[in-house]
Amino acid sequence: NVVCKQLGYPNALAYKHAASFGQGSDQIWLDNVQCSGSETRVHSCSASSWGTNDCTHGEDAGVVCQSVRLVGGTYDSEGRVEIFQNGQWGTVCDDFWSISDAHVVCREMGFSGALSYKTSAFYGAGSGPIWMDNVYCTGSEGRLRDCHNNGWNYHNCGHGDDAGVVCR
């Protein structure tokens, strides 16, 4: 959570170990890191002396930060899609919203895929920015933000057009 908060995200979804994102090649600066969760920067956490380690890059750590959430559903697996950008949660417009888009959102959140997609603020109208419009995912993207769209905060929608998903 500390790393994600330092990067501007609300929290972490998962931590990775054993170089899950690939091995680094430069100096290993931190080892035996222990955070309480209240720190604002990872270098404020308890750790071995800066640059002192007994690691290889095969032990490189990583984190998956939360950038998508579902709001307004009865279950955790359904709701209005909201995406985190510039320190703020915002919604996604339903123009061209499809099952492929829903699959990407659900997989990003750790579900196996989507059962259905919802339009017309099915889970209630959001508030704040409408971050994405005319989203087009092929279905192979790892994150919603990697899908083609008009660009951040470029839209012709109101919150009555907020997109939603039902994940499996």
Side-chain angles (χ1 to χ4, degrees):
N1 282 330
V2 173
V3 171
C4 289
K5 288 178 184 175
Q6 182 175 342
L7 294 172
Y9 292 97
N11 56 40
L13 290 177
Y15 68 91
K16 301 290 184 174
H17 53 81
S20 294
F21 297 114
Q23 293 187 16
S25 58
D26 293 329
Q27 173 73 36
I28 297 172
W29 292 107
L30 290 171
D31 188 14
N32 300 317
V33 177
Q34 295 182 349
C35 300
S36 68
S38 63
E39 301 87 353
T40 57
R41 304 268 184 232
V42 71
H43 66 264
S44 299
C45 299
S46 171
S48 299
S49 296
W50 190 253
T52 302
N53 69 80
D54 60 357
C55 301
T56 68
H57 283 294
E59 300 172 81
D60 286 349
V63 65
V64 179
C65 299
Q66 180 185 9
S67 63
V68 176
R69 70 181 181 184
L70 302 179
V71 177
T74 303
Y75 305 102
D76 291 343
S77 58
E78 64 181 13
R80 178 180 59 252
V81 176
E82 295 192 353
I83 188 162
F84 196 75
Q85 175 70 9
N86 293 335
Q88 189 174 3
W89 288 104
T91 62
V92 176
C93 183
D94 65 8
D95 292 347
F96 305 111
W97 191 245
S98 72
I99 193 67
S100 295
D101 307 326
H103 281 308
V104 171
V105 169
C106 293
R107 284 196 312 272
E108 181 175 355
M109 296 192 64
F111 296 100
S112 62
L115 291 173
S116 64
Y117 67 96
K118 303 292 184 181
T119 60
S120 303
F122 183 87
Y123 291 104
S127 61
I130 299 171
W131 283 131
M132 298 178 81
D133 187 15
N134 295 337
V135 174
Y136 174 75
C137 302
T138 63
S140 63
E141 297 87 353
R143 305 177 310 166
L144 179 63
R145 65 182 57 245
D146 295 333
C147 298
H148 177 78
N149 65 86
N150 283 358
W152 294 109
N153 207 26
Y154 286 98
H155 62 84
N156 61 352
C157 304
H159 284 295
D161 302 309
D162 288 343
V165 297
V166 178
C167 301
R168 60 172 181 237

